[in-house]
Amino acid sequence: FSKLLRYTLDKHGLQQVRIIASDRLWEPISFVLLIDSELHGVVDVIGAHYPGTKTVPNALLTKKKLWSSEDYSTFNDEVGAGCWARILNQNYVNGNMTSTIAWNLVASYYEELPFGRCGLMTAQEPWSGHYKVEAPIWITAHTTQFTQPGWSYLQVDGHLEKGGSFVALTDGLGNLTIIIETMTHNHSKCIRPPLPYYSVKPQRATFHLKGSFYMVETLQVWHSRLGFESGNSSLFQQLHPVKVWKGSFSLDLNVDEVYTLTTLKTGQKCGCPEPPPSQPFPSNYKDDFNIRNPPFSEAPNFADQTGVFEYFINTSDPGDHVFTLRQVVVQRPITWVSDADQTISLIGNFKWVNFTVTCDIFIEKPRDGGVFIAGRVDNGGIYVRRTKGVFFWVFADGTYRVTTDLAGEEILMKGLAGVRDNTWHTLTLNIQGTSASGQLNGYPLWENVTVSKPNNGWAAIGTRSFEFAQFDNFHVE
């Protein structure tokens, strides 16, 4: 496959696009590259996921660039910052990896979803505009503000005597950047893999600059100290420059610190304005999707978990439903985890208990098509297949169901509704305490159904299968 991909890229003038393989573990790709010279010729980088700062002998023998092509995935508090500081250095020091890619950069999804706040910063309230520049961002700056793609790591043993690590990079034009971290074990655990125990102690470290760097006289200093017990972190502060005497300088290092020492004078910590204050999701929210030229393809605040829900101009409807939200994926994708067989998009506040969801729905698929509205929806992401809640379904065959699960198997109520495909209907779901009721076109369809768990969750819309369906005049209160 890689050979065919390389041939196709070259044929279409994309010689500059390189191939990274295999974005899993170091093996078997490293071994295969060693025995298959043709494959060795088309793969440029070996990429491994969550390598725990280690590589394998075969990967080194290939002489390929080694990347940690997915890493981090850790909650972005101070421990997450410690994880990031440690692996940014030690992926190279222990594993010869010259790139570390964080999943994900900005956590812009509801926090209670799987991997909540596992981005370098958080921006999960588009309705308020609130965001938070978390500690991992400033840990990143220790490396990214003082290096660029194209800089080279110097081949030094980057282990510090009493624990911690350092790396040194140069642009080949006389500039030098040294990054030091002294992260302790319990303050730098990443989500995976498990971290074997080690110790770090305060120490005085002396560095000797040789060759072309012997003439360096001063280095700019940037410093972070992660505070755990105190909660007081000092992030990315510029300290007094260090004087270099005959190629040598010393630093007193405490634990859980990051230092950058560099010939560059371009570092800066922005004095950014305060973001808008955090607000809960509006308790009364409406969207009629009436936007002729939307700036994005997807409506605000909806978080698609399976399927894709997009703004749609319904030219066949001359009435009130010209502008709608449409589920547009009609084939189950090749999935990474055990995805759901249904499509679903979440919205609102995970803490909601008692609320009413109303939405106009339009089933496009004849015979076995179907849609739902839901409340108290408890999950998504990699766990979407086991999602629970209160789901109110209507189907193109004229039936309805109330279920406690997205799979549609745990049935609380079912019967005839008279709904048909290619006609607009209005569904209303009301949940109060342990009781739920549903309306069709403003008239009661089912009432006083007992619901126990979940106790709270989001509102949601979705479809029975990967099928076209439309939604309009969504309202949750």
Side-chain angles (χ1 to χ4, degrees):
F1 177 76
S2 294
K3 300 169 200 175
L4 177 63
L5 181 58
R6 179 74 273 157
Y7 169 79
T8 308
L9 289 167
D10 292 349
K11 186 178 163 189
H12 290 86
L14 296 169
Q15 292 88 350
Q16 77 279 13
V17 175
R18 301 299 180 183
I19 295 175
I20 302 164
S22 63
D23 281 331
R24 285 178 64 88
L25 306 171
W26 294 117
E27 298 290 14
I29 184 65
S30 299
F31 174 72
V32 176
L33 287 177
L34 289 172
I35 62 170
D36 185 336
S37 59
E38 204 179 341
L39 187 65
H40 191 279
V42 301
V43 171
D44 288 85
V45 176
I46 303 178
H49 284 195
Y50 307 96
T53 79
K54 304 288 199 303
T55 187
V56 297
N58 276 347
L60 296 168
L61 285 172
T62 65
K63 297 284 194 279
K64 293 290 181 187
K65 286 191 175 94
L66 307 183
W67 285 11
S68 176
S69 54
E70 183 177 320
D71 218 326
Y72 181 69
S73 291
T74 300
F75 192 78
N76 59 19
D77 58 6
E78 261 62 8
V79 173
C83 149
W84 188 227
R86 180 175 55 77
I87 66 176
L88 273 179
N89 266 20
Q90 295 195 25
N91 276 346
Y92 178 74
V93 171
N94 299 332
N96 220 41
M97 289 163 260
T98 55
S99 173
T100 297
I101 298 174
W103 187 92
N104 58 68
L105 295 181
V106 184
S108 293
Y109 45 93
Y110 293 112
E111 186 170 330
E112 295 86 359
L113 283 168
F115 298 98
R117 267 185 60 185
C118 284
L120 299 182
M121 63 176 275
T122 308
Q124 60 190 20
E125 291 185 16
W127 54 89
S128 72
H130 177 73
Y131 62 90
K132 191 162 182 213
V133 182
E134 311 281 2
I137 284 285
W138 298 116
I139 295 302
T140 309
H142 274 280
T143 296
T144 57
Q145 284 204 20
F146 309 105
T147 61
Q148 290 289 331
W151 282 49
S152 298
Y153 282 95
L154 298 177
Q155 293 187 348
V156 291
D157 178 7
H159 295 98
L160 292 166
E161 195 175 318
K162 293 188 177 178
S165 69
F166 71 94
V167 292
L169 299 103
T170 181
D171 60 357
L173 304 171
N175 283 307
L176 173 69
T177 292
I178 300 167
I179 304 132
I180 305 164
E181 61 78 26
T182 58
M183 293 301 136
T184 54
H185 178 272
N186 290 356
H187 292 160
S188 68
K189 289 180 180 174
C190 303
I191 196 168
R192 69 177 78 89
L195 182 61
Y197 182 75
Y198 66 90
S199 75
V200 182
K201 297 193 171 93
Q203 59 196 300
R204 185 170 178 82
T206 300
F207 292 81
H208 303 283
L209 308 184
K210 296 183 176 175
S212 59
F213 301 120
Y214 183 79
M215 304 307 291
V216 170
E217 294 180 354
T218 59
L219 291 167
Q220 307 300 310
V221 182
W222 292 79
H223 173 254
S224 292
R225 186 197 70 255
L226 294 173
F228 295 90
E229 283 72 25
S230 68
N232 292 333
S233 292
S234 169
L235 296 171
F236 203 61
Q237 300 297 319
Q238 187 164 21
L239 306 183
H240 291 298
V242 161
K243 291 273 186 281
V244 183
W245 175 249
K246 292 188 176 176
S248 295
F249 66 92
S250 296
L251 274 182
D252 288 314
L253 306 174
N254 213 323
V255 297
D256 295 326
E257 291 189 319
V258 182
Y259 280 92
T260 300
L261 298 105
T262 179
T263 55
L264 298 180
K265 296 181 179 176
T266 49
Q268 57 180 322
K269 186 173 185 183
C270 72
C272 305
E274 276 292 301
S278 175
Q279 303 276 354
F281 191 91
S283 58
N284 189 349
Y285 180 82
K286 294 179 180 176
D287 195 339
D288 60 13
F289 313 115
N290 289 357
I291 301 181
R292 187 169 294 276
N293 295 302
F296 304 103
S297 65
E298 296 167 305
N301 306 319
F302 281 92
D304 302 350
Q305 302 303 304
T306 57
V308 174
F309 295 74
E310 291 187 341
Y311 283 117
F312 181 64
I313 299 180
N314 185 7
T315 52
S316 64
D317 190 307
D320 300 331
H321 300 289
V322 177
F323 299 100
T324 67
L325 191 69
R326 190 189 200 201
Q327 202 295 118
V328 295
V329 177
V330 294
Q331 183 179 350
R332 190 175 191 267
I334 297 168
T335 61
W336 164 62
V337 287
S338 186
D339 213 337
D341 297 311
Q342 306 75 20
T343 75
I344 180 170
S345 191
L346 307 174
I347 191 167
N349 187 330
F350 181 73
K351 297 184 178 72
W352 279 348
V353 176
N354 301 323
F355 55 105
T356 302
V357 187
T358 300
C359 193
D360 299 341
I361 60 93
F362 187 85
I363 301 168
E364 296 189 50
K365 188 181 183 187
R367 291 183 301 281
D368 56 351
V371 303
F372 68 80
I373 64 172
R376 290 189 190 169
V377 176
D378 72 346
N379 228 319
I382 60 171
Y383 304 125
V384 67
R385 199 171 181 84
R386 61 172 95 146
T387 295
K388 305 286 193 224
V390 182
F391 293 82
F392 176 15
W393 307 77
V394 290
F395 303 107
D397 66 4
T399 63
Y400 80 90
R401 278 187 185 184
V402 185
T403 71
T404 63
D405 60 333
L406 175 63
E409 292 166 353
E410 298 168 18
I411 301 167
L412 297 175
M413 181 79 105
K414 64 179 180 177
L416 292 173
V419 169
R420 291 287 179 259
D421 59 89
N422 288 286
T423 306
W424 282 97
H425 300 276
T426 303
L427 302 185
T428 303
L429 170 65
N430 180 259
I431 310 173
Q432 299 292 328
T434 57
S435 179
S437 61
Q439 295 180 356
L440 173 64
N441 300 327
Y443 295 98
L445 181 64
W446 51 274
E447 291 182 292
N448 301 325
V449 169
T450 301
V451 294
S452 49
K453 288 185 175 178
N455 296 319
N456 55 278
W458 295 284
I461 56 174
T463 63
R464 179 188 210 168
S465 65
F466 286 88
E467 62 188 270
F468 287 127
Q470 292 176 59
F471 303 85
D472 202 0
N473 299 317
F474 178 85
H475 180 198
V476 58
E477 185 174 5

